[in-house]
Amino acid sequence: MASESYSFTYINEFDEECSAAFKLNEYHNLMDLLFDKYMEDVGDCKGRAWCGTCDIQILEGSISEKMEADEKETLSKSEAVTVNSRLACQIPVSAELHNLVFRIMPRT
């Protein structure tokens, strides 16, 4: 049985709108998916929520996964943080990402 395919849209560092496809259980978190398939320069701390290089801003949709203390601490150091900011390394790849739209925040 073929697994269902999902997709989301992201705005990259060049302000280009990109579409990405994925399947459930293909990757552990959003950062791994982005790094493996679409981007190169993300995830300096290897997904530990310490560096903030995978900072995204959700533009459409939402993530129900609660933000933990490490993620909150790392995001608090960003000048561009908003209520819609998250670290991609802390977002599990799930059907909830389907049709999500987010911006990859520039590194400061």
Side-chain angles (χ1 to χ4, degrees):
M1 182 171 146
S3 60
E4 192 170 344
S5 189
Y6 299 89
S7 66
F8 58 81
T9 301
Y10 67 95
I11 316 264
N12 68 17
E13 63 272 19
F14 305 110
D15 211 31
E16 300 166 330
E17 189 172 294
C18 307
S19 183
F22 67 96
K23 294 181 180 179
L24 297 183
N25 302 314
E26 187 176 20
Y27 293 94
H28 180 68
N29 60 51
L30 180 57
M31 183 199 71
D32 290 344
L33 188 159
L34 288 170
F35 180 77
D36 188 48
K37 287 189 167 185
Y38 304 103
M39 304 179 66
E40 293 180 17
D41 192 25
V42 66
D44 289 353
C45 72
K46 308 293 186 241
R48 294 181 185 97
W50 296 343
C51 67
T53 59
C54 65
D55 181 11
I56 66 168
Q57 184 179 65
I58 298 171
L59 303 174
E60 294 177 26
S62 63
I63 302 293
S64 64
E65 185 79 17
K66 297 294 183 204
M67 196 180 303
E68 295 193 14
D70 286 343
E71 183 177 8
K72 287 179 185 177
E73 173 66 24
T74 299
L75 285 172
S76 73
K77 298 172 188 171
S78 171
E79 294 176 13
V81 71
T82 71
V83 296
N84 295 323
S85 294
R86 293 297 305 262
L87 295 179
C89 68
Q90 301 302 299
I91 300 172
V93 173
S94 70
E96 191 174 44
L97 297 179
H98 188 56
N99 293 326
L100 190 74
V101 178
F102 61 91
R103 176 180 300 281
I104 297 171
M105 300 306 289
R107 293 175 86 163
T108 54

XYZ file of all heavy atoms in Angstrom:
856
model
N 0.843 -1.189 0.000
C 0.000 0.000 0.000
C 0.883 1.247 0.000
O 1.747 1.410 0.850
C -0.886 -0.021 1.244
C -1.832 1.122 1.330
S -2.977 0.832 2.703
C -3.215 2.475 3.222
N 0.690 2.113 -0.963
C 1.480 3.333 -1.071
C 1.044 4.331 -0.003
O -0.142 4.487 0.263
C 1.306 3.945 -2.453
N 2.029 4.991 0.598
C 1.679 5.978 1.617
C 1.274 7.289 0.946
O 1.761 7.636 -0.124
C 2.835 6.181 2.586
O 3.965 6.637 1.895
N 0.385 7.986 1.607
C -0.148 9.230 1.075
C 0.932 10.306 1.059
O 1.756 10.393 1.955
C -1.322 9.675 1.942
C -2.122 10.780 1.335
C -3.408 11.038 2.095
O -3.822 10.188 2.899
O -3.989 12.100 1.884
N 0.897 11.134 0.044
C 1.857 12.222 -0.085
C 1.218 13.524 0.399
O 0.035 13.767 0.168
C 2.285 12.358 -1.546
O 3.351 13.250 -1.654
N 2.012 14.332 1.065
C 1.572 15.622 1.604
C 2.483 16.710 1.052
O 3.551 16.422 0.525
C 1.641 15.619 3.130
C 0.765 14.582 3.775
C 1.239 13.299 4.026
C -0.542 14.884 4.126
C 0.425 12.345 4.619
C -1.358 13.934 4.719
C -0.866 12.674 4.962
O -1.673 11.735 5.549
N 2.079 17.953 1.225
C 2.933 19.049 0.764
C 2.729 20.286 1.628
O 1.727 20.433 2.318
C 2.643 19.379 -0.699
O 1.348 19.900 -0.835
N 3.727 21.144 1.580
C 3.649 22.448 2.237
C 4.368 23.451 1.352
O 5.035 23.086 0.374
C 4.254 22.416 3.651
C 5.687 21.976 3.720
C 6.725 22.850 3.447
C 6.000 20.672 4.078
C 8.044 22.442 3.514
C 7.312 20.254 4.153
C 8.341 21.142 3.872
N 4.230 24.712 1.680
C 4.862 25.785 0.930
C 5.764 26.562 1.871
O 5.400 26.821 3.017
C 3.794 26.739 0.344
O 2.930 25.972 -0.513
C 4.418 27.873 -0.436
N 6.943 26.895 1.388
C 7.830 27.738 2.188
C 8.415 28.842 1.328
O 8.534 28.706 0.121
C 8.940 26.916 2.858
C 9.945 26.295 1.925
C 11.141 26.939 1.635
C 9.723 25.054 1.351
C 12.069 26.368 0.792
C 10.645 24.467 0.509
C 11.823 25.131 0.226
O 12.743 24.560 -0.607
N 8.724 29.942 1.971
C 9.375 31.074 1.324
C 10.846 31.003 1.740
O 11.146 31.058 2.935
C 8.757 32.413 1.777
C 7.277 32.335 1.807
C 9.377 33.575 1.028
C 6.380 32.744 0.809
N 11.719 30.876 0.766
C 13.142 30.705 1.092
C 13.834 32.042 1.361
O 13.201 33.097 1.337
C 13.852 29.880 0.018
C 13.960 30.592 -1.311
O 13.808 31.806 -1.427
N 14.233 29.832 -2.353
N 15.138 31.964 1.569
C 15.914 33.160 1.921
C 16.007 34.160 0.770
O 16.419 35.302 0.972
C 17.314 32.764 2.406
C 18.167 32.070 1.372
C 17.991 30.553 1.319
O 16.988 30.015 1.810
O 18.880 29.897 0.754
N 15.633 33.767 -0.445
C 15.635 34.658 -1.599
C 14.233 35.201 -1.898
O 13.982 35.748 -2.965
C 16.184 33.927 -2.826
C 17.544 33.344 -2.600
C 17.710 31.970 -2.520
C 18.652 34.156 -2.428
C 18.959 31.421 -2.287
C 19.901 33.618 -2.190
C 20.063 32.245 -2.126
N 13.316 34.985 -0.947
C 11.929 35.427 -1.055
C 11.178 34.721 -2.188
O 10.243 35.266 -2.760
C 11.846 36.947 -1.205
C 10.584 37.500 -0.579
O 10.101 36.909 0.417
O 10.061 38.513 -1.083
N 11.610 33.484 -2.498
C 10.957 32.675 -3.513
C 9.994 31.703 -2.841
O 10.336 31.105 -1.825
C 11.985 31.866 -4.306
C 12.997 32.715 -5.027
C 14.189 31.913 -5.520
O 14.562 30.903 -4.894
O 14.761 32.328 -6.541
N 8.815 31.550 -3.415
C 7.845 30.596 -2.889
C 8.142 29.217 -3.471
O 8.227 29.052 -4.687
C 6.432 31.037 -3.261
C 5.363 30.231 -2.586
C 3.980 30.795 -2.803
O 3.706 31.909 -2.308
O 3.187 30.108 -3.470
N 8.324 28.240 -2.596
C 8.692 26.882 -3.005
C 7.689 25.888 -2.430
O 7.170 26.086 -1.341
C 10.080 26.531 -2.484
S 11.354 27.730 -2.918
N 7.459 24.817 -3.174
C 6.580 23.759 -2.710
C 7.423 22.545 -2.365
O 8.413 22.258 -3.039
C 5.577 23.413 -3.812
O 4.683 22.433 -3.360
N 7.044 21.848 -1.322
C 7.783 20.668 -0.883
C 6.818 19.525 -0.617
O 5.762 19.728 -0.037
C 8.567 20.999 0.381
N 7.196 18.340 -1.049
C 6.369 17.154 -0.852
C 7.040 16.223 0.147
O 8.270 16.182 0.246
C 6.156 16.438 -2.179
N 6.235 15.486 0.892
C 6.780 14.537 1.862
C 5.766 13.443 2.134
O 4.589 13.566 1.809
C 7.165 15.244 3.167
C 5.992 15.789 3.944
C 5.417 15.056 4.978
C 5.471 17.042 3.662
C 4.347 15.556 5.696
C 4.405 17.547 4.375
C 3.835 16.805 5.397
N 6.246 12.381 2.742
C 5.394 11.289 3.198
C 5.586 11.137 4.696
O 6.638 11.477 5.237
C 5.765 9.987 2.481
C 5.458 10.057 1.003
C 5.793 8.791 0.299
C 5.446 8.979 -1.175
N 5.735 7.854 -1.975
N 4.576 10.638 5.362
C 4.670 10.432 6.807
C 5.786 9.440 7.116
O 6.040 8.515 6.345
C 3.345 9.922 7.355
C 2.155 10.867 7.203
C 0.918 10.266 7.855
C 2.448 12.230 7.788
N 6.432 9.645 8.238
C 7.529 8.807 8.719
C 8.761 8.835 7.821
O 9.655 8.011 7.966
C 7.073 7.360 8.938
C 5.932 7.297 9.921
O 5.961 7.929 10.968
N 4.899 6.547 9.570
N 8.797 9.758 6.890
C 9.955 9.884 6.003
C 11.109 10.593 6.725
O 12.267 10.265 6.499
C 9.537 10.665 4.755
C 10.565 10.729 3.674
C 10.054 11.437 2.418
O 9.063 12.197 2.488
O 10.656 11.222 1.370
N 10.785 11.532 7.590
C 11.771 12.296 8.356
C 11.269 12.482 9.774
O 10.067 12.510 10.014
C 12.016 13.670 7.715
C 12.694 13.553 6.375
C 11.945 13.519 5.206
C 14.075 13.451 6.279
C 12.555 13.377 3.978
C 14.694 13.311 5.048
C 13.929 13.281 3.908
O 14.526 13.136 2.697
N 12.204 12.683 10.686
C 11.863 12.877 12.095
C 11.248 14.255 12.332
O 10.270 14.394 13.054
C 13.106 12.687 12.961
C 12.861 12.874 14.407
N 12.097 12.004 15.153
C 13.241 13.855 15.265
C 12.032 12.432 16.405
N 12.712 13.556 16.484
N 11.848 15.298 11.740
C 11.335 16.650 11.960
C 11.448 17.474 10.679
O 12.075 17.056 9.698
C 12.051 17.328 13.140
C 13.542 17.451 12.919
O 13.994 17.937 11.897
N 14.324 17.012 13.897
N 10.831 18.643 10.705
C 10.786 19.519 9.540
C 12.174 19.953 9.103
O 12.463 20.038 7.916
C 9.898 20.719 9.849
C 9.711 21.754 8.747
C 9.139 21.123 7.477
C 8.804 22.878 9.239
N 13.075 20.222 10.033
C 14.427 20.634 9.682
C 15.139 19.542 8.881
O 15.787 19.822 7.885
C 15.247 20.971 10.927
C 16.644 21.468 10.591
S 17.784 21.352 11.966
C 18.011 19.581 12.061
N 15.025 18.288 9.313
C 15.657 17.178 8.587
C 15.139 17.097 7.155
O 15.907 16.897 6.216
C 15.405 15.844 9.290
C 16.150 15.695 10.594
O 17.107 16.471 10.837
O 15.769 14.808 11.386
N 13.837 17.247 6.986
C 13.240 17.210 5.659
C 13.780 18.346 4.796
O 14.223 18.121 3.668
C 11.723 17.293 5.793
C 10.880 17.079 4.540
C 9.467 16.681 4.937
C 10.841 18.278 3.647
N 13.781 19.562 5.316
C 14.275 20.715 4.562
C 15.750 20.556 4.208
O 16.162 20.821 3.082
C 14.066 21.999 5.358
C 12.631 22.488 5.483
C 12.542 23.615 6.501
C 12.080 22.924 4.141
N 16.545 20.125 5.163
C 17.985 19.971 4.947
C 18.268 18.902 3.894
O 19.082 19.095 2.999
C 18.678 19.617 6.266
C 20.164 19.432 6.126
C 21.002 20.524 6.015
C 20.708 18.164 6.094
C 22.374 20.353 5.866
C 22.073 17.977 5.954
C 22.913 19.082 5.839
N 17.592 17.784 3.978
C 17.858 16.676 3.069
C 17.390 16.942 1.650
O 18.079 16.627 0.688
C 17.214 15.397 3.599
C 17.626 14.179 2.792
O 18.840 14.015 2.550
O 16.745 13.409 2.402
N 16.221 17.536 1.509
C 15.627 17.666 0.178
C 15.781 19.038 -0.471
O 15.802 19.129 -1.696
C 14.131 17.351 0.256
C 13.821 15.898 0.431
C 12.332 15.679 0.265
C 12.013 14.214 0.131
N 10.605 13.987 -0.144
N 15.848 20.096 0.319
C 15.680 21.412 -0.284
C 16.739 22.457 0.058
O 16.928 23.385 -0.698
C 14.292 21.973 0.084
C 13.195 21.042 -0.328
C 12.544 20.246 0.606
C 12.827 20.920 -1.656
C 11.540 19.361 0.224
C 11.832 20.040 -2.053
C 11.192 19.269 -1.106
O 10.216 18.389 -1.479
N 17.374 22.359 1.180
C 18.293 23.412 1.610
C 19.588 22.804 2.112
O 19.643 21.635 2.448
C 17.656 24.228 2.733
C 16.329 24.820 2.379
S 15.650 25.729 3.745
C 16.828 27.050 3.855
N 20.607 23.628 2.228
C 21.872 23.125 2.731
C 22.266 23.759 4.061
O 22.809 23.093 4.920
C 22.976 23.364 1.707
C 22.775 22.546 0.451
C 23.867 22.774 -0.559
O 24.930 23.300 -0.193
O 23.653 22.437 -1.728
N 22.023 25.032 4.225
C 22.570 25.770 5.356
C 21.552 25.927 6.489
O 21.013 27.000 6.718
C 23.036 27.141 4.868
C 23.868 27.866 5.899
O 24.471 27.199 6.753
O 23.918 29.107 5.841
N 21.289 24.834 7.195
C 20.345 24.874 8.301
C 20.715 23.786 9.301
O 21.262 22.755 8.924
C 18.883 24.718 7.805
C 18.655 23.346 7.230
C 17.879 25.017 8.884
N 20.488 24.041 10.560
C 20.673 23.002 11.567
C 22.064 22.889 12.155
O 22.576 21.783 12.307
N 22.667 24.003 12.507
C 24.020 23.971 13.070
C 24.120 23.115 14.332
O 25.147 22.507 14.593
C 24.512 25.385 13.387
C 24.807 26.183 12.132
O 24.770 25.608 11.013
O 25.067 27.393 12.253
N 23.062 23.054 15.129
C 23.106 22.288 16.396
C 22.560 20.876 16.233
O 22.377 20.160 17.215
C 22.366 23.033 17.502
S 20.568 23.047 17.307
N 22.262 20.480 14.997
C 21.771 19.128 14.685
C 20.432 18.806 15.355
O 20.194 17.693 15.795
C 22.802 18.064 15.052
C 24.170 18.308 14.482
C 24.160 18.169 12.974
C 25.573 18.262 12.427
N 25.798 19.346 11.527
N 19.566 19.812 15.476
C 18.213 19.571 15.964
C 18.019 19.625 17.463
O 17.042 19.104 17.975
N 18.911 20.266 18.162
C 18.803 20.331 19.634
C 18.118 21.607 20.147
O 18.059 21.832 21.347
C 20.194 20.219 20.244
C 20.831 18.871 20.014
C 22.213 18.821 20.661
N 22.889 17.589 20.362
C 23.775 17.434 19.385
N 24.078 18.438 18.588
N 24.354 16.274 19.183
N 17.670 22.464 19.244
C 16.991 23.726 19.596
C 17.926 24.703 20.296
O 17.498 25.485 21.127
C 15.741 23.466 20.451
N 19.202 24.675 19.946
C 20.182 25.560 20.592
C 20.617 26.734 19.722
O 20.982 27.780 20.239
C 21.439 24.786 20.969
C 21.260 23.704 21.977
C 20.205 23.518 22.839
C 22.145 22.626 22.240
N 20.389 22.402 23.600
C 21.581 21.833 23.264
C 23.370 22.242 21.711
C 22.186 20.703 23.767
C 23.982 21.109 22.211
C 23.392 20.353 23.235
N 20.625 26.556 18.392
C 21.286 27.556 17.546
C 20.335 28.553 16.888
O 20.723 29.679 16.598
C 22.128 26.865 16.478
S 21.169 25.955 15.243
N 19.122 28.142 16.560
C 18.166 29.033 15.914
C 18.333 29.160 14.409
O 17.661 29.971 13.787
N 19.206 28.360 13.791
C 19.402 28.473 12.339
C 18.219 27.932 11.552
O 18.131 28.169 10.345
C 20.687 27.755 11.877
O 20.622 26.382 12.238
C 21.923 28.399 12.475
N 17.311 27.227 12.189
C 16.137 26.683 11.486
C 14.866 27.441 11.881
O 13.765 26.901 11.813
C 15.999 25.189 11.739
S 15.665 24.749 13.457
N 15.024 28.704 12.243
C 13.912 29.561 12.638
C 12.967 29.770 11.454
O 13.393 30.129 10.365
C 14.484 30.910 13.101
C 13.445 31.897 13.573
O 12.273 31.520 13.767
O 13.821 33.063 13.766
N 11.682 29.488 11.664
C 10.667 29.736 10.644
C 9.553 30.583 11.238
O 9.393 30.645 12.456
C 10.075 28.429 10.070
C 9.290 27.656 11.140
C 11.165 27.569 9.434
C 8.447 26.514 10.580
N 8.804 31.226 10.369
C 7.622 31.981 10.784
C 6.435 31.417 10.019
O 6.417 31.430 8.785
C 7.802 33.464 10.479
C 6.640 34.302 10.970
C 6.863 35.756 10.678
O 6.918 36.149 9.527
N 7.011 36.539 11.722
N 5.470 30.899 10.742
C 4.292 30.298 10.125
C 3.367 31.413 9.632
O 2.989 32.301 10.392
C 3.573 29.366 11.112
C 4.516 28.220 11.492
C 2.273 28.844 10.515
C 4.033 27.345 12.605
N 3.035 31.346 8.347
C 2.193 32.366 7.726
C 0.751 31.906 7.565
O -0.173 32.707 7.687
C 2.768 32.743 6.354
C 4.222 33.233 6.366
C 4.727 33.423 4.945
C 4.352 34.504 7.181
N 0.565 30.622 7.263
C -0.784 30.046 7.127
C -0.778 28.661 7.737
O 0.130 27.876 7.470
C -1.197 29.947 5.658
C -1.377 31.275 4.971
C -1.716 31.126 3.497
O -2.280 30.077 3.112
O -1.406 32.051 2.740
N -1.782 28.378 8.540
C -1.861 27.099 9.224
C -1.325 27.223 10.642
O -1.010 28.325 11.108
N -1.228 26.099 11.320
C -0.730 26.115 12.685
C -0.141 24.755 13.042
O -0.398 23.763 12.377
C -1.842 26.477 13.673
O -2.849 25.493 13.628
N 0.640 24.757 14.107
C 1.270 23.548 14.631
C 0.768 23.358 16.057
O 0.891 24.259 16.885
C 2.811 23.689 14.650
C 3.357 23.979 13.255
C 3.475 22.478 15.276
C 3.196 22.859 12.273
N 0.208 22.202 16.339
C -0.323 21.966 17.682
C 0.757 21.537 18.681
O 0.552 21.650 19.883
C -1.435 20.916 17.636
O -0.918 19.674 17.214
N 1.892 21.068 18.163
C 2.994 20.645 19.034
C 3.421 21.822 19.913
O 3.751 22.901 19.431
C 4.171 20.174 18.173
C 5.327 19.601 18.934
C 5.094 18.168 19.375
O 4.186 17.507 18.844
O 5.829 17.729 20.257
N 3.388 21.614 21.222
C 3.726 22.685 22.160
C 5.223 22.993 22.137
O 6.050 22.108 21.955
C 3.327 22.292 23.588
C 1.836 22.085 23.753
C 1.094 23.378 23.561
C -0.384 23.177 23.787
N -1.204 24.146 23.140
N 5.542 24.248 22.348
C 6.923 24.688 22.386
C 7.525 24.376 23.756
O 6.943 24.712 24.778
C 6.974 26.193 22.117
C 8.337 26.690 21.760
S 8.403 28.477 21.442
C 7.220 28.697 20.139
N 8.686 23.734 23.761
C 9.355 23.403 25.013
C 10.342 24.497 25.401
O 10.614 25.418 24.635
C 10.033 22.044 24.891
C 8.995 20.943 24.708
C 9.564 19.556 24.886
O 10.693 19.411 25.400
O 8.860 18.606 24.507
N 10.906 24.402 26.594
C 11.749 25.444 27.168
C 12.962 25.785 26.304
O 13.280 26.967 26.128
C 12.196 25.042 28.575
N 13.651 24.781 25.756
C 14.838 25.055 24.930
C 14.479 25.871 23.697
O 15.199 26.793 23.318
C 15.522 23.747 24.500
C 16.279 23.076 25.623
O 16.560 23.725 26.643
O 16.599 21.883 25.475
N 13.378 25.524 23.063
C 12.943 26.258 21.880
C 12.577 27.696 22.241
O 12.964 28.647 21.551
C 11.762 25.551 21.218
C 11.303 26.209 19.934
C 10.171 25.473 19.239
O 9.609 24.505 19.817
O 9.838 25.865 18.107
N 11.828 27.874 23.321
C 11.465 29.227 23.764
C 12.703 30.064 24.053
O 12.786 31.232 23.666
C 10.595 29.157 25.018
C 9.191 28.696 24.761
C 8.391 28.632 26.053
C 7.016 28.061 25.817
N 6.239 27.913 27.039
N 13.679 29.477 24.730
C 14.920 30.185 25.080
C 15.672 30.612 23.826
O 16.115 31.754 23.713
C 15.806 29.285 25.954
C 17.176 29.842 26.251
C 17.160 31.104 27.108
O 16.185 31.329 27.845
O 18.137 31.865 27.038
N 15.817 29.713 22.882
C 16.540 30.032 21.639
C 15.815 31.111 20.851
O 16.443 32.063 20.383
C 16.721 28.768 20.783
O 17.501 27.829 21.537
C 17.428 29.067 19.479
N 14.511 31.001 20.717
C 13.750 32.008 19.972
C 13.766 33.363 20.671
O 13.707 34.400 20.012
C 12.313 31.542 19.756
C 12.135 30.458 18.693
C 10.706 29.927 18.708
C 12.497 30.975 17.311
N 13.877 33.380 21.984
C 13.891 34.652 22.719
C 15.113 35.500 22.370
O 15.121 36.703 22.590
C 13.833 34.404 24.229
O 15.074 33.912 24.703
N 16.131 34.897 21.787
C 17.359 35.604 21.415
C 17.262 36.230 20.025
O 18.142 36.985 19.639
C 18.547 34.645 21.464
C 18.784 34.087 22.848
C 19.832 33.005 22.809
C 19.928 32.317 24.165
N 20.768 31.126 24.118
N 16.209 35.923 19.286
C 16.041 36.434 17.933
C 15.330 37.783 17.956
O 14.334 37.958 18.656
C 15.227 35.444 17.101
O 14.893 36.004 15.862
N 15.826 38.707 17.143
C 15.189 40.027 17.051
C 13.887 39.967 16.246
O 13.018 40.802 16.416
C 16.148 41.018 16.394
C 17.375 41.304 17.233
C 18.354 42.215 16.522
O 17.987 42.814 15.499
O 19.480 42.323 17.012
N 13.767 38.964 15.376
C 12.610 38.883 14.482
C 11.533 37.926 14.987
O 10.624 37.579 14.251
C 13.080 38.447 13.099
N 11.597 37.504 16.241
C 10.639 36.529 16.761
C 9.233 37.119 16.827
O 9.052 38.300 17.126
C 11.098 35.979 18.133
C 10.968 37.018 19.226
C 10.350 34.730 18.506
N 8.250 36.279 16.471
C 6.844 36.660 16.561
C 6.100 35.520 17.248
O 6.675 34.473 17.528
C 6.215 36.888 15.163
O 6.079 35.626 14.508
C 7.045 37.832 14.309
N 4.816 35.698 17.458
C 4.011 34.632 18.056
C 3.926 33.423 17.132
O 3.579 32.330 17.566
C 2.591 35.117 18.441
C 2.664 36.181 19.515
C 1.833 35.609 17.227
N 4.234 33.605 15.852
C 4.192 32.518 14.874
C 5.568 31.917 14.584
O 5.714 31.153 13.636
C 3.555 33.002 13.573
C 2.110 33.365 13.771
O 1.396 32.712 14.521
N 1.662 34.417 13.120
N 6.562 32.271 15.367
C 7.912 31.739 15.177
C 8.042 30.361 15.805
O 7.491 30.105 16.873
C 8.948 32.669 15.808
O 8.987 33.903 15.139
N 8.769 29.488 15.116
C 9.077 28.145 15.614
C 10.450 27.739 15.095
O 10.962 28.334 14.148
C 8.053 27.116 15.128
C 6.645 27.254 15.673
C 6.532 27.078 17.180
N 7.085 25.842 17.687
C 6.394 24.739 17.967
N 5.081 24.726 17.791
N 6.988 23.667 18.465
N 11.010 26.715 15.699
C 12.232 26.104 15.186
C 11.823 24.845 14.433
O 11.129 23.984 14.982
C 13.192 25.751 16.323
C 13.746 26.927 17.118
C 14.658 26.422 18.227
C 14.483 27.913 16.221
N 12.237 24.737 13.185
C 11.851 23.594 12.354
C 12.321 22.274 12.953
O 11.681 21.242 12.765
C 12.398 23.763 10.941
N 13.409 22.303 13.711
C 13.924 21.061 14.309
C 13.025 20.528 15.416
O 13.156 19.371 15.820
C 15.342 21.266 14.838
S 15.474 22.371 16.267
N 12.096 21.324 15.881
C 11.208 20.915 16.960
C 9.798 20.576 16.471
O 8.900 20.322 17.266
C 11.141 22.013 18.027
C 12.492 22.351 18.631
C 13.134 21.137 19.264
O 12.591 20.546 20.195
N 14.304 20.745 18.773
N 9.614 20.558 15.162
C 8.299 20.275 14.581
C 8.336 18.896 13.929
O 9.035 18.692 12.924
C 7.918 21.345 13.539
C 7.864 22.723 14.213
C 6.595 20.998 12.869
C 7.681 23.870 13.251
N 7.614 17.935 14.480
C 7.589 16.595 13.878
C 6.944 16.610 12.492
O 6.030 17.392 12.235
C 6.725 15.773 14.834
C 6.540 16.600 16.046
C 6.784 18.024 15.674
N 7.446 15.765 11.618
C 6.822 15.616 10.304
C 5.548 14.800 10.491
O 5.585 13.650 10.917
C 7.784 14.933 9.314
C 7.070 14.622 8.006
C 8.990 15.825 9.050
N 4.424 15.439 10.210
C 3.119 14.801 10.379
C 2.155 15.373 9.352
O 2.474 16.338 8.648
C 2.583 15.057 11.791
O 2.235 16.422 11.933
N 0.969 14.802 9.282
C -0.054 15.290 8.361
C -0.439 16.737 8.673
O -0.962 17.441 7.819
C -1.283 14.390 8.426
N -0.158 17.179 9.874
C -0.463 18.558 10.270
C 0.304 19.583 9.423
O -0.121 20.731 9.293
C -0.118 18.730 11.751
C -0.607 20.003 12.356
C -0.367 20.051 13.851
O 0.723 19.669 14.301
O -1.296 20.472 14.545
N 1.410 19.181 8.834
C 2.192 20.084 7.983
C 1.556 20.299 6.615
O 1.922 21.228 5.896
C 3.613 19.543 7.785
C 4.492 19.425 9.014
C 5.844 18.844 8.639
C 4.646 20.764 9.702
N 0.602 19.428 6.241
C -0.030 19.525 4.929
C -0.686 20.894 4.758
O -1.447 21.346 5.618
C -1.058 18.405 4.754
C -1.606 18.313 3.376
N -0.807 18.162 2.263
C -2.876 18.356 2.915
C -1.568 18.111 1.185
N -2.828 18.231 1.554
N -0.336 21.563 3.677
C -0.835 22.897 3.314
C -0.325 24.020 4.207
O -0.794 25.156 4.094
C -2.364 22.921 3.248
C -2.885 22.070 2.116
O -2.265 21.965 1.062
N -4.024 21.434 2.330
N 0.614 23.744 5.091
C 1.222 24.794 5.905
C 2.021 25.729 4.992
O 2.590 25.287 3.991
C 2.161 24.162 6.939
C 2.701 25.072 8.038
C 1.600 25.363 9.055
C 3.878 24.404 8.741
N 2.048 26.998 5.327
C 2.869 27.978 4.607
C 3.742 28.667 5.649
O 3.241 29.153 6.666
C 2.001 29.026 3.871
C 2.876 30.052 3.169
C 1.050 28.348 2.886
N 5.049 28.693 5.398
C 5.950 29.348 6.334
C 7.121 30.000 5.611
O 7.433 29.682 4.470
C 6.457 28.360 7.400
C 7.245 27.193 6.859
C 8.610 27.270 6.722
C 6.602 26.019 6.518
C 9.337 26.199 6.238
C 7.315 24.929 6.039
C 8.692 25.018 5.895
N 7.740 30.934 6.301
C 8.921 31.634 5.803
C 10.131 31.149 6.586
O 10.085 31.063 7.817
C 8.759 33.144 5.972
C 10.002 33.945 5.564
C 9.791 35.440 5.747
N 8.683 35.934 4.945
C 8.756 36.195 3.634
N 9.865 35.997 2.979
N 7.696 36.648 2.992
N 11.201 30.864 5.886
C 12.461 30.547 6.538
C 13.124 31.883 6.848
O 13.370 32.692 5.946
C 13.341 29.668 5.641
C 12.618 28.339 5.422
C 14.720 29.479 6.257
C 13.229 27.443 4.398
N 13.358 32.130 8.102
C 13.864 33.424 8.518
C 15.353 33.542 8.212
O 16.097 32.573 8.361
C 13.618 33.630 10.016
C 12.130 33.577 10.390
S 11.107 34.730 9.438
C 11.641 36.278 10.139
N 15.771 34.727 7.785
C 17.192 34.916 7.475
C 18.038 34.831 8.742
O 17.590 35.190 9.831
C 17.248 36.316 6.866
C 15.984 36.994 7.281
C 14.976 35.921 7.572
N 19.230 34.343 8.581
C 20.159 34.267 9.711
C 20.668 35.668 10.028
O 20.954 36.439 9.144
C 21.327 33.350 9.362
C 20.871 31.923 9.201
C 21.992 31.070 8.751
N 22.735 30.615 9.903
C 23.577 29.610 9.881
N 23.799 28.980 8.752
N 24.223 29.254 10.951
N 20.732 35.955 11.299
C 21.216 37.291 11.705
C 22.547 37.200 12.386
O 23.011 36.186 12.766
C 20.207 37.969 12.654
O 19.942 37.094 13.758
C 18.936 38.292 11.939
